[in-house]
Amino acid sequence: MMNLIYTLTTCDEELEQIIKLQQNNLPSFISKKEKEAEGFVTVTHDLSILRKMNSKQPHIVAKDKDKVVGYALSMLKDFKDDIEILKPMFAMIDNHLDLSSSYVVMGQVCIDKVYRRQGIFRGLYQAMKNELEKKYDFLITEVASNNIRSLQAHQAIGFKTLITYQSNNIQWHLIYWDWQ
């Protein structure tokens, strides 16, 4: 029986579990069929950057007892130069948003394969909204156009496309969720 809780990350053990879950869902570790059906993650993080990001704005995790079974990473614009693959996204944000807006970037979301289709994706985002909507005007992220499952899941929550753009031979949807 599942005993799920949604909470902020508080320790390195949780961050290490995030890294393990992330590695299991990189395109290089899953089949093409699974990528199409289940989605995938693009960015790899190390413990150092996850710690730094977490110290500025803790990540949201779904836990079954002590096991992290899903996560939604929080990333402030302070990190726009720290992860190479995300630099184009931050450039698009700077070019297409009113910079006086207060926003947080959802740096990546992932659910353990065994726990999918149980509402955890929606639960992570609801926990994120509950935690962050008083601090930030909206949440923004990007999803690769070929990650159809992820795009559909984000649209179902209420994300809207701000712009699509090309970077590193990948077409991206820069999407946002206005909490107001």
Side-chain angles (χ1 to χ4, degrees):
M1 173 154 181
M2 255 193 332
N3 185 22
L4 272 186
I5 60 163
Y6 297 92
T7 186
L8 298 173
T9 50
T10 59
C11 64
D12 278 358
E13 182 182 346
E14 291 168 336
L15 298 177
E16 289 165 355
Q17 288 183 53
I18 287 171
I19 291 169
K20 185 173 190 292
L21 187 52
Q22 178 183 80
Q23 289 170 343
N24 291 338
N25 289 280
L26 290 166
S28 56
F29 289 96
I30 58 177
S31 70
K32 181 180 178 188
K33 182 179 176 184
E34 187 176 349
K35 271 179 27 181
E36 291 169 2
E38 298 293 327
F40 55 92
V41 298
T42 303
V43 180
T44 55
H45 299 84
D46 62 29
L47 188 56
S48 173
I49 192 70
L50 282 183
R51 270 190 201 129
K52 282 194 242 177
M53 290 164 50
N54 197 61
S55 72
K56 297 276 187 174
Q57 178 56 65
H59 310 300
I60 304 290
V61 290
K63 294 178 71 174
D64 185 1
K65 298 185 177 116
D66 290 331
K67 179 183 179 186
V68 172
V69 299
Y71 64 83
L73 302 181
S74 302
M75 179 182 286
L76 302 184
K77 52 187 158 187
D78 305 9
F79 295 95
K80 69 182 188 177
D81 295 322
D82 290 6
I83 300 173
E84 194 64 35
I85 197 169
L86 297 181
K87 287 180 180 180
M89 176 190 71
F90 280 105
M92 287 293 149
I93 291 170
D94 288 349
N95 290 333
H96 291 90
L97 288 181
D98 173 359
L99 296 180
S100 67
S101 295
S102 134
Y103 67 88
V104 61
V105 172
M106 191 291 299
Q108 186 175 78
V109 63
C110 186
I111 315 298
D112 186 305
K113 293 171 191 173
V114 175
Y115 289 83
R116 292 183 185 158
R117 292 177 177 71
Q118 298 179 41
I120 295 173
F121 181 88
R122 190 172 291 275
L124 284 166
Y125 271 117
Q126 191 58 51
M128 196 170 225
K129 179 182 180 193
N130 293 344
E131 179 66 30
L132 303 176
E133 70 180 329
K134 291 182 177 92
K135 296 182 195 176
Y136 306 101
D137 297 330
F138 57 91
L139 181 67
I140 193 161
T141 193
E142 68 179 359
V143 178
S145 295
N146 65 342
N147 197 343
I148 304 297
R149 173 120 170 92
S150 183
L151 275 173
Q152 291 172 339
H154 282 87
Q155 290 165 347
I157 298 250
F159 278 84
K160 306 275 186 241
T161 297
L162 178 65
I163 188 171
T164 57
Y165 71 97
Q166 189 89 13
S167 174
N168 299 317
N169 297 318
I170 298 172
Q171 183 173 6
W172 295 96
H173 285 252
L174 188 62
I175 59 176
Y176 69 98
W177 186 17
D178 187 343
W179 290 323
Q180 308 312 316

